[in-house]
C-alpha cells in the first residue's frame, strides 16, 4: 500500500505491507520541489514506482540506510538518480546487513544499492535544505532542515514524544544530543518518518528530549539505590509488550533502560 497526500508544498507517501486488510507498519517518504526524502521499503516497490512515476524528480536523499527508508533506491537509480546519504551509510547500502525475520516480513528483503555522499546543503529552485548529522537511531542518520519554512524532515529521530522501546543497536545518548542539536534551530513543522506531520514540531521535540532525560535520570537514581536493570524497567516502563516478542528482543523496553544506564 502507498497512500499519497499533499501537505501544502510537500507530498507525503505513506507506505506499508498489508496483511488481513491492515498495514503491518507505516513509514513515510516526502517530496518537495524536485527532492525526494527516503524511498520506502522494498515490500511496496511496485506501488511506490507507480506513485512517483509522474514526479519531476531531480534529487533523492536518504535519512539512513535501514530497509524501510532506503529499500527502493534501485528504482530511482534506474531513472538516473543516484541517492545521496551520509558517508557512513554507503557501505551499508552496498552490502545490507543480515535482517531479522520480522524485518523481512514487514518491509521486505533489502536489495544492494549505491549512493553518493550527501553535501552539507541541498538547493532546489525554491528550497535550501541543511543536511544535519543526527546519529543515535543509527550512526549514519541525518535530518534535513529548511530554514525559510522551518521544516524538519526528521527521519526516525522523533517518531513520537514518548517512545518507550529501543532497538538493540541504538544509542539514546546520541539521540538526546541530536534532539538538542535540532532544537537549536527555528523548527516549526516536523515531517516524521512515522507518517506524523507535527505543526508544533519544536514543542514535540522538546517533549521527547524532556521525557528521555527524565527517564535517564530516574534510571540512574534507581541504580544508585541498588535496583537491577530489570527492576528499573518494571518500575519506570512496566512489563514488556508485543514488540519484544515479535522482534525477538531487537526492540524492547529493556534495551532502552540498559542503554540509558550505559555511560554516554
Amino acid at each position: 500500500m502507498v497512500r499519497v497526500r499533499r501537505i501544502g508544498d510537500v507530498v507525503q507517501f505513506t507506505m506499508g505491507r498489508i496483511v488481513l486488510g491492515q498495514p503491518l507498519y507505516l513509514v513515510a517518504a516526502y517530496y518537495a520541489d524536485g527532492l525526494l526524502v527516503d524511498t520506502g521499503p522494498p515490500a511496496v516497490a511496485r506501488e511506490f514506482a507507480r506513485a512517483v512515476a509522474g514526479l519531476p524528480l531531480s534529487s533523492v536523499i536518504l535519512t539512513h540506510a535501514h530497509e524501510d527508508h532506503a529499500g527502493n533506491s534501485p528504482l530511482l537509480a534506474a531513472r538516473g538518480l543516484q541517492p545521496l546519504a551520509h558517508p557512513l551509510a554507503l557501505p551499508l547500502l552496498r552490502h545490507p546487513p543480515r535482517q531479522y525475520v520480522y524485518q523481512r516480513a514487514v518491509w521486505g528483503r533489502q536489495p544492494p544499492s549505491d549512493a553518493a555522499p550527501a553535501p552539507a546543503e541541498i538547493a532546489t529552485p525554491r528550497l535550501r535544505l541543511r543536511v544535519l548529522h543526527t546519529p543515535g537511531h543509527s550512526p549514519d542518520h541525518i535530518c534535513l532542515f529548511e530554514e525559510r519554512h522551518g521544516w524538519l524532515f526528521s527521519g526516525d529521530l522523533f517518531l513520537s514524544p514518548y517512545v518507550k522501546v529501543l532497538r538493540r543497536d541504538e544509542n539514546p545518548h546520541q539521540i538526546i544530543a541530536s534532539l538538542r542539536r535540532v532544537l537549536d534551530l527555528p523548527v516549526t513543522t516536523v515531517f516524521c518518518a512515522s507518517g506524523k506531520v507535527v505543526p508544533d514540531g519544536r514543542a514535540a521535540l522538546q517533549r521527547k528530549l524532556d521525557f528521555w532525560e527524565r527517564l535517564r535520570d530516574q534510571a540512574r537514581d534507581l541504580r544508585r539505590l541498588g535496583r537491577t536493570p530489570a527492576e528499573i524497567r518494571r518500575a519506570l516502563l512496566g512489563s514488556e509488550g508485543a514488540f519484544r516478542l515479535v522482534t525477538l528482543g531487537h526492540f524492547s523496553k529493556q534495551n532502552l533502560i540498559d542503554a540509558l544506564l550505559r555511560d554516554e
Side-chain angles (χ1 to χ4, degrees):
M1 176 214 68
V2 177
R3 188 167 59 230
V4 183
R5 68 165 174 151
R6 179 172 286 276
I7 306 136
D9 293 328
V10 177
V11 179
Q12 180 192 66
F13 301 91
T14 306
M15 297 166 271
R17 174 174 269 167
I18 300 294
V19 173
L20 300 176
Q22 296 295 324
L24 291 177
Y25 190 94
L26 293 176
V27 62
Y30 295 93
Y31 168 85
D33 197 32
L35 174 67
L36 180 66
V37 181
D38 285 338
T39 66
V44 298
R46 281 184 287 186
E47 299 99 313
F48 184 69
R50 289 194 295 269
V52 301
L55 288 179
L57 282 171
S58 57
S59 53
V60 181
I61 190 164
L62 306 173
T63 58
H64 56 300
H66 289 167
E67 65 273 25
D68 51 331
H69 295 260
N72 291 318
S73 294
L75 299 176
L76 285 307
R79 292 178 56 174
L81 293 165
Q82 186 178 44
L84 304 169
H86 191 274
L88 291 174
L90 306 191
L92 300 173
L93 293 166
R94 292 192 196 104
H95 306 285
R98 183 177 180 181
Q99 294 172 286
Y100 283 77
V101 171
Y102 84 89
Q103 292 173 311
R104 292 198 300 272
V106 174
W107 296 304
R109 190 178 294 276
Q110 184 170 12
S113 60
D114 283 315
E121 188 175 88
I122 297 174
T124 73
R126 295 192 296 273
L127 303 174
R128 191 172 295 274
L129 298 108
R130 198 184 315 174
V131 178
L132 307 168
H133 186 207
T134 50
H137 176 71
S138 61
D140 61 319
H141 195 281
I142 60 172
C143 293
L144 301 166
F145 178 63
E146 211 294 323
E147 187 161 3
R148 188 165 67 88
H149 294 86
W151 295 342
L152 183 73
F153 295 94
S154 62
D156 279 343
L157 175 64
F158 173 65
L159 297 180
S160 81
Y162 306 111
V163 176
K164 298 180 181 181
V165 296
L166 199 73
R167 276 175 59 126
R168 191 178 289 135
D169 54 355
E170 289 184 87
N171 184 326
H173 301 299
Q174 289 184 344
I175 293 174
I176 286 169
S178 293
L179 287 167
R180 288 176 181 155
R181 183 180 185 192
V182 298
L183 279 165
D184 284 339
L185 303 170
V187 174
T188 56
T189 304
V190 169
F191 294 90
C192 183
S194 67
K196 297 173 185 173
V197 177
V198 187
D200 191 2
R202 182 176 183 80
L205 290 163
Q206 187 66 56
R207 283 195 296 274
K208 178 167 183 176
L209 175 61
D210 292 344
F211 174 70
W212 271 21
E213 288 186 324
R214 183 168 61 251
L215 188 67
R216 176 201 61 198
D217 294 344
Q218 290 171 332
R220 290 175 173 178
D221 287 344
L222 288 173
R223 181 175 60 182
R224 282 191 285 269
L225 294 174
R227 306 283 285 275
T228 68
E231 289 171 337
I232 294 169
R233 184 259 302 159
R234 286 192 292 269
L236 298 180
L237 299 177
S239 59
E240 294 281 7
F243 255 110
R244 184 177 185 275
L245 179 64
V246 170
T247 66
L248 300 178
H250 194 213
F251 273 96
S252 74
K253 294 179 180 180
Q254 194 65 57
N255 290 344
L256 176 54
I257 294 299
D258 290 346
L260 286 171
L261 289 172
R262 287 195 288 269
D263 291 336
E264 297 182 30

